[in-house]
């Protein structure tokens, strides 16, 4: 099955890894579902992040780095060290992991939210948010995004 068909598949659960030449970076989408599919078959994380797999796929293609997508997944793959998703990330040892998430039902307070994964690294998140805000301010099509 092609990547495009997998990303548009509303029924099957899958873990898709696409290697890239640049091993320093890994772009991941742990809660992907196609547009219009708002729920996942996962009790602990029932809300999908619609189309985030497409964003991860396009970004990793542009950067020529690895891509990891958990589509319609039956468990919350990025919250437990025992999942195949987590173990694959550990085995790849990327220097930078970027996870693409989304907010459904208008739950977002900002257009773009940056997180480094834990409260003890929140200064790094804030620094990146400030840098992005500065860079975005130079582009008419980006300058109105709110970043946190």
């Amino acid at each position: 099955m092609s990547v495009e068909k997998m990303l548009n598949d509303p029924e099957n659960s899958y873990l898709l890894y696409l290697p890239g030449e640049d091993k320093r970076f890994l772009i991941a989408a742990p809660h992907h579902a196609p547009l219009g599919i708002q729920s996942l078959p996962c009790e602990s994380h029932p809300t999908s992040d619609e189309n985030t797999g497409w964003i991860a796929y396009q970004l990793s293609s542009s950067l020529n780095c690895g891509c990891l997508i958990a589509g319609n997944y039956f468990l919350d793959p990025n919250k437990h060290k025992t999942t195949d998703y987590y173990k694959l990330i550990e085995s790849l040892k990327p220097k930078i992991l970027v996870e693409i998430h989304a907010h459904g039902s208008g739950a977002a307070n900002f257009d773009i939210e940056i997180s480094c994964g834990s409260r003890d690294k929140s200064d790094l998140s804030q620094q990146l948010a400030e840098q992005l805000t500065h860079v975005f301010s130079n582009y008419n099509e980006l300058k109105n995004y709110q970043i946190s």
Side-chain angles (χ1 to χ4, degrees):
M1 184 182 293
S2 72
V3 172
E4 291 80 8
K5 284 187 179 183
M6 289 180 80
L7 292 174
N8 284 323
D9 183 347
E11 296 176 11
N12 295 303
S13 291
Y14 58 86
L15 184 65
L16 173 64
Y17 171 63
L18 303 166
E21 283 186 37
D22 192 337
K23 307 297 183 202
R24 297 172 301 166
F25 305 100
L26 179 64
I27 311 298
H31 308 120
H32 170 74
L35 183 63
I37 305 300
Q38 297 176 353
S39 60
L40 296 172
C42 174
E43 219 172 276
S44 64
H45 195 290
T47 305
S48 74
D49 293 343
E50 293 178 53
N51 271 347
T52 54
W54 281 104
I55 296 168
Y57 177 57
Q58 292 298 324
L59 184 56
S60 69
S61 295
S62 295
L63 297 172
N64 198 15
C65 66
C67 180
L68 181 60
I69 301 168
N72 304 312
Y73 225 50
F74 50 90
L75 53 85
D76 192 356
N78 64 332
K79 295 298 181 212
H80 305 286
K81 293 182 178 184
T82 58
T83 66
D84 48 357
Y85 174 94
Y86 193 96
K87 287 179 181 180
L88 182 57
I89 292 170
E90 277 191 325
S91 73
L92 294 170
K93 296 181 171 92
K95 289 189 185 270
I96 296 177
L97 168 66
V98 175
E99 281 189 332
I100 308 295
H101 292 273
H103 290 285
S105 308
N109 294 319
F110 298 90
D111 297 311
I112 299 171
E113 294 181 358
I114 307 294
S115 170
C116 288
S118 65
R119 290 191 190 277
D120 64 320
K121 295 180 182 177
S122 63
D123 288 346
L124 295 172
S125 303
Q126 188 59 38
Q127 288 174 17
L128 180 55
E130 289 170 5
Q131 290 172 351
L132 284 174
T133 299
H134 176 72
V135 171
F136 281 21
S137 70
N138 296 315
Y139 298 91
N140 285 333
E141 64 272 15
L142 300 176
K143 66 182 177 184
N144 293 324
Y145 283 104
Q146 294 181 4
I147 304 173
S148 168

